[in-house]
């Protein structure tokens, strides 16, 4: 049982992509995993999985109307997830302290409770960090992401959250990028993974399908597999490539859906 927050100072560095696809890999390999979309104002998880109707969400849990167990849904490979609502209607009633209670309840049932945080350190982001036992700090190998990552790392340390390390994402291996050793020296923590820039991740986002399903053997997924092994201490097998449900089929499906919606 472990609750892990995926935190970052700067937005858009890959918290949602990493937590969702890492969760899917662990679930595919027999772990009980639940992922909470704690970026309540933005609610990306439902969109990333193309879920259309969500009756009860984390927003209902934070407003005290429902227990967290009422907002748990089943995703691919048996991964469970707690989405946030697409509408911000109930946000004014949200009491972010309820997130900790929800995480504690889920910790009893799951091997891993992943918390996909909002970026920065406003109330919602802090609540996500305060709710977890452990953390990964997400960043890209550039000065602004690193500087903001350092602030988040310091916040987590002050709160006594155990930091697994930083995850550098969208790595191009360009000479202008900050090197791994320099990032470690600056942050004072290990880099747990260097995940490559991989256009398949963006293509998967555009198609609202996790890359772990669409293109499970791409460079991003191979590196994520190593991170999953490091975290779980077990051998991780990547999902099979499903040619029929690969990119071409998904592009056709999404056009068909668009066409249907327009009619
Ligand atoms: N390794 C990668 N290679 C290429 N694109 C990536 C990679 N990781 C993430 N992306 C893309 O970058 C964008 C931002 O990623 P994501 O939504 O996961 O970041 P985030 O940190 O959760 O953002 P936010 O702070 O807004 O919640 C998405 O379009 C995603 O597809
Ligand atoms: Mg996100």
């Amino acid at each position: 049982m472990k609750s892990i927050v995926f935190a970052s100072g700067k937005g858009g560095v890959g918290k949602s992509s990493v937590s969702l696809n890492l969760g899917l890999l662990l679930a595919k390999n027999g772990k009980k995993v639940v992922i909470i979309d704690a970026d309540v104002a933005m609610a990306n998880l439902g969109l990333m999985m193309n879920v259309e109707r969500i009756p009860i969400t984390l927003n209902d849990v934070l407003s005290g109307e429902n227990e967290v167990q009422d907002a748990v849904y089943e995703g691919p490979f048996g991964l469970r997830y707690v989405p946030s609502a697409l509408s911000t209607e109930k946000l004014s009633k949200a009491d972010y302290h309820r997130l900790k209670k929800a995480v504690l309840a889920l910790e009893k049932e799951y091997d891993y409770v992943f918390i996909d945080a909002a970026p920065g350190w406003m109330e919602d982001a802090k609540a996500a960090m305060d709710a977890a036992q452990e953390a990964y700090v997400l960043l890209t190998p550039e000065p602004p992401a690193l500087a903001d990552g350092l602030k988040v790392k310091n916040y987590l340390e002050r709160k006594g959250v155990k930091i697994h390390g930083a995850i550098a994402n969208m790595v191009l291996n360009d000479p202008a990028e900050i090197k791994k050793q320099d990032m470690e020296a600056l942050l004072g923590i290990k880099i747990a993974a260097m995940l490559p820039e991989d256009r398949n991740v963006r293509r998967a986002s555009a198609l609202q399908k996790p890359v772990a399903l669409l293109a499970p053997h791409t460079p991003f997924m191979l590196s994520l597999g190593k991170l999953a092994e490091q975290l779980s201490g077990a051998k991780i097998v990547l999902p099979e490539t499903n040619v029929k449900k690969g990119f071409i089929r998904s592009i056709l499906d999404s056009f068909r859906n668009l066409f249907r919606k327009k009619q």
Side-chain angles (χ1 to χ4, degrees):
M1 165 280 280
K2 261 186 185 153
S3 53
I4 304 178
V5 63
F6 293 74
S8 79
K10 195 170 175 292
V13 293
K15 295 174 297 299
S16 302
S17 306
V18 171
S19 55
L20 173 60
N21 290 294
L22 187 63
L24 284 167
L25 274 186
L26 291 166
K28 171 76 188 163
N29 284 268
K31 301 285 180 204
K32 281 190 82 182
V33 187
V34 62
I35 171 162
I36 303 176
D37 187 358
D39 192 353
V40 190
M42 295 305 162
N44 282 333
L45 191 62
L47 285 178
M48 286 173 85
M49 305 228 265
N50 203 6
V51 186
E52 287 196 354
R53 229 183 62 81
I54 311 168
I56 301 170
T57 65
L58 183 65
N59 304 45
D60 301 297
V61 179
L62 296 181
S63 66
E65 283 165 41
N66 287 89
E67 295 299 324
V68 69
Q69 287 84 352
D70 304 333
V72 176
Y73 299 86
E74 184 168 351
F77 307 145
L79 173 85
R80 301 294 201 272
Y81 63 97
V82 178
S84 283
L86 289 176
S87 117
T88 49
E89 192 188 316
K90 280 196 183 150
L91 269 187
S92 55
K93 285 199 265 166
D95 175 352
Y96 287 99
H97 292 104
R98 292 197 177 105
L99 186 60
K100 174 109 191 167
K101 195 178 144 229
V103 171
L104 284 172
L106 293 175
E107 278 173 2
K108 296 198 180 94
E109 290 175 49
Y110 291 88
D111 299 322
Y112 295 96
V113 180
F114 281 2
I115 307 165
D116 179 15
W121 40 90
M122 299 293 278
E123 195 186 6
D124 49 355
K126 279 184 178 165
M129 293 192 269
D130 295 348
Q133 300 167 332
E134 302 184 2
Y136 282 116
V137 178
L138 270 285
L139 42 85
T140 52
E142 300 141 345
L146 205 65
D148 293 350
L150 182 60
K151 292 179 202 155
V152 159
K153 176 235 155 186
N154 289 338
Y155 179 83
L156 288 162
E157 274 183 353
R158 277 203 304 280
K159 289 287 175 167
V161 180
K162 180 186 161 203
I163 304 177
H164 273 294
I167 297 176
N169 188 26
M170 304 182 200
V171 175
L172 289 162
N173 283 318
D174 187 280
E177 282 175 348
I178 305 173
K179 302 277 162 301
K180 186 178 175 196
Q181 311 83 280
D182 296 336
M183 285 194 274
E184 289 182 334
L186 237 140
L187 290 167
I189 51 173
K190 287 270 167 215
I191 303 284
M194 298 277 280
L195 305 176
E197 166 77 28
D198 181 342
R199 66 184 178 149
N200 294 296
V201 184
R202 253 175 249 284
R203 288 163 92 188
S205 297
L207 294 169
Q208 291 178 268
K209 293 251 170 72
V211 69
L213 301 185
L214 270 186
H217 295 255
T218 48
F220 175 81
M221 288 305 302
L222 293 174
S223 302
L224 212 55
K226 289 192 194 128
L227 181 65
E229 290 192 341
Q230 207 185 90
L231 177 64
S232 65
K235 175 107 191 79
I236 294 290
V237 178
L238 297 177
E240 281 126 51
T241 307
N242 187 339
V243 179
K244 270 195 173 162
K245 286 207 171 148
F247 275 121
I248 305 289
R249 173 74 177 271
S250 297
I251 291 167
L252 288 177
D253 281 355
S254 75
F255 278 140
R256 246 179 242 127
N257 282 343
L258 246 172
F259 188 68
R260 252 206 336 257
K261 279 177 194 162
K262 274 196 155 182
Q263 279 184 331

